[in-house]
Amino acid sequence: MAISAHVGITPVVVPGLATPGLSWRRSDLVAQEALVNRETRRANLVPAGRSLAYVGGGLIVLFVLGVVLYPSLVLIYNSFLTRGQLSLANYARLLSQPDTYEVLRNSLTVSLLGTGGATALGVFLAWLVARSDVPFKAFWRAVLIVPYLIPPFIGAIAWVYLLGPVGFINKFWMFLTGDRLLVIYGPVGIVLVMILYGYPIAYLVTLGPFEKTNPALEEAARISGAGTFRTFRDVTLPLIMPNVWAAGLLIFMSLMANFGIPAVLGFPRRYFVLTTKIYATVLNFDQANNLQLAAALSMVLVVLALLGLQIQRLVLARGRYAVISGKVSQPQLVELGAIRPLALGFLALLVLITVVAPIAAIFLTSLIKAVGLPLVSSSLSLKHYSDLLFAVPKVRRAFLNSFLLATGSATIIALLSIVIGYFLTRLRIRGGRLLEMLIIIPYAVPGTVVALAMILAFLQPLPLVNFSLYNTIWILLIAYIARFLTFGVRSTSAALEQIHESLEEEARISGADLVRAIKDITLPLIKPSIYAGWFLAFMPALTELTLSILLYSVNNETLGVVVFGLHQEGKVGLTAALAFLVTILVLGLNLATHRKLEL
């Protein structure tokens, strides 16, 4: 294929492929020779770059196979293992037990009800903020996502302090009426808390589409006489339905995988869902074949998770509607008129319920000397905080362990993501899509399933080195890396896709090797995305509970495990004090992260 360029007005063609009849000048030939040398050197760079990338990519593939595929295969294998032989006995046993169907029904019930309520609330809030003339929009935009930042199990504990048997709301209601308003334990409380901590997903997913929807159809509906509600129902909502369905599926999958909320609010009533039943089965050492039975039960969650991913993919692939065009003005805001104060009051009440009341309940409970004492100055003390810092050694260990695990896993994820992202976006070699799918699986399936897979995979000492990861902090590190690796890979790969390969090629042509070209050219350009991936992995790892509750060992406790353990032990004051510190820490780090990424 001829390589041609223009120098002045004279065509330049690669020698040997010149077209007869063209006249040549010396300057043209010099420029053409330089161009040929440039292209030849660029072509010679590819094999060397590919060889190095193949080596790095091969090591990464082996790592992913070791921490993702191998535990997954071990989990599947153990689900068929009974007394050392392969059979369907575990599945037959589960299918013959009424508890299995009850647990499955419980999971679907609370998840579906929670999904419906959270999706409806989130979509309505997104419309209210994006499309109405409600005042103080900047404030609502920021504060409505705060419940998403608070660990759900801490939110559930906060609601125990509000609507538990001696919760603040129940005590006040009993003072007024002589009866409790609601006891939060059980399915009703689980659904309520799921809605309150699940709606930010729908809010975030639909806020952008509401803001960018083409207003022409809405204006036509109003001109035709349709009111605000009918325009929303018949025009606006159908336009963003793909986003609504996507939000609903995300919420459903997250609620099905949730462990903290049903554990905190379900255990006192012995109300089990799939995640908590798997947890109870793993810890039931008196039951024969308990790990293998838990593996078989886990496969139900795996099937539901993979089915949810497939449905989500179909919805996003087929449900495409043109809601944005380039020749229209910004959507016209709906004037709420007489109901504007009601909308403002609704937002204020929601923030009070989802943010102010839970945090205040945790803080006030942490100050009360003993459960049941009246909220007066003589009953308040900072004793629980001093005990946490000086009298409970496992709290200090938990802070240190969580920071080390979160920092270590996030840093390793960031480094791996650079290599994996380069492997996927620059070379695009066969198997890249399979590698991406393997990376997303540990996050797509519930954490209890991932933890059980890690237990079964690394229960025995590793071959050759004869070192057991089980009952060490290293199994937590590996589990965190496997679960949150997708955050770093997605962030880094998206950034690399936006950087043209010619920038690295120019550096290589100028004499830089591949490592220096990446270090001096590529890495500075994708640094913000690397930071973003690091923080996206660090934040959930810091307060992680679902993996840690099954994988921790003595002296390797994490913050999530200690908060949950103190709550289960009935140490209310210590639980509240630690939960409040963790909440403030998480909110502060999220604020710092947001400001860092804005710089």
Side-chain angles (χ1 to χ4, degrees):
M1 181 176 181
I3 303 173
S4 61
H6 290 281
V7 180
I9 58 173
T10 305
V12 178
V13 184
V14 177
L17 298 175
T19 303
L22 293 180
S23 59
W24 297 90
R25 294 197 306 239
R26 181 175 179 81
S27 60
D28 297 336
L29 294 174
V30 172
Q32 181 181 4
E33 183 178 358
L35 177 62
V36 172
N37 292 336
R38 177 190 178 106
E39 295 297 334
T40 302
R41 294 176 63 186
R42 176 178 295 179
N44 290 334
L45 292 176
V46 175
R50 280 185 177 270
S51 299
L52 185 59
Y54 276 128
V55 173
L59 294 176
I60 295 300
V61 168
L62 289 177
F63 177 83
V64 173
L65 292 177
V67 302
V68 177
L69 184 60
Y70 172 66
S72 302
L73 294 177
V74 171
L75 177 71
I76 297 172
Y77 173 78
N78 274 268
S79 71
F80 293 98
L81 192 63
T82 305
R83 297 176 181 176
Q85 295 184 353
L86 295 177
S87 71
L88 294 174
N90 294 326
Y91 292 95
R93 183 174 175 181
L94 289 176
L95 292 175
S96 65
Q97 294 177 346
D99 287 352
T100 303
Y101 300 98
E102 181 182 354
V103 168
L104 180 58
R105 183 173 62 252
N106 292 344
S107 293
L108 292 175
T109 298
V110 297
S111 298
L112 288 173
L113 291 176
T115 298
T119 303
L121 180 59
V123 171
F124 175 70
L125 291 172
W127 176 86
L128 202 59
V129 171
R131 302 304 301 275
S132 75
D133 62 345
V134 67
F136 313 119
K137 286 191 175 185
F139 173 76
W140 303 126
R141 282 175 182 273
V143 78
L144 286 175
I145 66 170
V146 171
Y148 184 72
L149 307 178
I150 300 174
F153 73 95
I154 290 182
I157 292 173
W159 277 95
V160 171
Y161 300 153
L162 288 170
L163 284 174
V166 292
F168 292 110
I169 294 178
N170 271 331
K171 289 172 68 174
F172 179 71
W173 192 258
M174 288 177 66
F175 174 77
L176 295 178
T177 66
D179 195 9
R180 294 188 181 98
L181 177 65
L182 170 69
V183 176
I184 196 72
Y185 297 122
V188 175
I190 293 173
V191 171
L192 173 64
V193 176
M194 282 182 168
I195 291 173
L196 296 180
Y197 290 92
Y199 84 80
I201 296 176
Y203 169 76
L204 291 170
V205 170
T206 58
L207 183 63
F210 269 128
E211 291 178 327
K212 297 178 175 64
T213 299
N214 188 336
L217 296 176
E218 295 175 319
E219 293 172 0
R222 294 192 189 96
I223 292 173
S224 301
T228 300
F229 175 76
R230 186 173 181 183
T231 300
F232 173 79
R233 185 193 66 186
D234 296 343
V235 179
T236 310
L237 189 58
L239 287 174
I240 66 161
M241 277 308 295
N243 304 91
V244 174
W245 279 109
L249 285 168
L250 286 173
I251 294 172
F252 177 76
M253 292 172 63
S254 68
L255 296 184
M256 283 290 295
N258 190 278
F259 170 81
I261 294 176
V264 171
L265 302 179
F267 280 169
R269 288 277 300 272
R270 296 196 59 80
Y271 185 88
F272 290 95
V273 296
L274 282 169
T275 53
T276 55
K277 185 64 175 179
I278 292 170
Y279 169 76
T281 304
V282 171
L283 297 185
N284 187 5
F285 301 108
D286 294 331
Q287 184 178 29
N289 219 40
N290 65 315
L291 292 181
Q292 285 70 33
L293 284 173
L297 192 58
S298 296
M299 297 311 298
V300 178
L301 275 175
V302 172
V303 170
L304 289 174
L306 296 179
L307 181 62
L309 283 175
Q310 186 61 29
I311 294 174
Q312 182 186 29
R313 184 174 302 170
L314 292 175
V315 168
L316 294 178
R318 298 180 181 180
R320 298 180 183 275
Y321 300 102
V323 297
I324 305 172
S325 65
K327 297 182 180 181
V328 296
S329 59
Q330 291 296 321
Q332 181 180 354
L333 296 180
V334 175
E335 296 181 2
L336 299 176
I339 64 172
R340 192 182 186 198
L342 292 177
L344 189 61
F346 172 76
L347 289 173
L349 179 62
L350 183 68
V351 171
L352 176 65
I353 292 174
T354 60
V355 180
V356 178
I359 295 177
I362 294 175
F363 179 64
L364 292 176
T365 303
S366 71
L367 298 179
I368 297 176
K369 294 178 181 179
V371 179
L373 291 179
L375 196 61
V376 295
S377 59
S378 60
S379 302
L380 305 181
S381 171
L382 293 174
K383 181 179 183 302
H384 298 306
Y385 290 96
S386 63
D387 288 344
L388 281 180
L389 297 176
F390 303 110
V392 187
K394 67 180 178 181
V395 172
R396 296 194 298 274
R397 287 200 306 267
F399 270 103
L400 179 61
N401 289 337
S402 289
F403 269 102
L404 289 177
L405 286 168
T407 303
S409 60
T411 302
I412 294 173
I413 285 170
L415 295 175
L416 290 174
S417 298
I418 296 171
V419 180
I420 294 174
Y422 198 88
F423 183 72
L424 294 176
T425 61
R426 286 293 186 263
L427 298 180
R428 298 182 180 87
I429 299 174
R430 292 179 182 178
R433 181 166 296 182
L434 177 61
L435 180 62
E436 286 183 287
M437 187 176 68
L438 287 176
I439 290 171
I440 199 176
I441 283 177
Y443 187 75
V445 302
T448 49
V449 177
V450 177
L452 180 58
M454 293 290 172
I455 292 173
L456 293 170
F458 302 118
L459 187 61
Q460 301 298 326
L462 296 175
L464 301 180
V465 295
N466 196 32
F467 175 74
S468 178
L469 293 173
Y470 187 64
N471 276 337
T472 70
I473 199 170
W474 303 112
I475 194 171
L476 284 167
L477 180 65
I478 291 175
Y480 287 5
I481 293 171
R483 185 152 179 85
F484 303 121
L485 180 60
T486 183
F487 291 150
V489 171
R490 286 189 172 189
S491 179
T492 304
S493 296
L496 285 169
E497 288 283 4
Q498 297 176 338
I499 299 175
H500 201 275
E501 300 175 15
S502 60
L503 295 177
E504 292 177 16
E505 293 173 352
E506 296 298 333
R508 297 291 307 279
I509 291 172
S510 300
D513 57 21
L514 179 62
V515 175
R516 185 173 181 182
I518 295 175
K519 179 175 71 72
D520 294 345
I521 303 296
T522 307
L523 289 183
L525 293 174
I526 66 172
K527 187 184 296 184
S529 295
I530 296 175
Y531 283 143
W534 190 91
F535 282 115
L536 285 172
F538 175 84
M539 292 309 302
L542 185 64
T543 58
E544 207 285 326
L545 173 65
T546 310
L547 291 171
S548 307
I549 197 65
L550 286 174
L551 296 177
Y552 86 96
S553 53
V554 178
N555 296 328
N556 294 321
E557 305 93 341
T558 63
L559 284 174
V561 168
V562 173
V563 173
F564 183 77
L566 291 173
H567 176 75
Q568 294 297 102
E569 294 169 11
K571 298 177 180 179
V572 177
L574 290 176
T575 303
L578 184 55
F580 181 74
L581 292 178
V582 171
T583 300
I584 297 303
L585 176 65
V586 168
L587 294 179
L589 288 174
N590 272 282
L591 179 61
T593 300
H594 181 70
R595 290 185 175 179
K596 173 68 176 178
L597 295 179
E598 283 184 341
L599 297 177

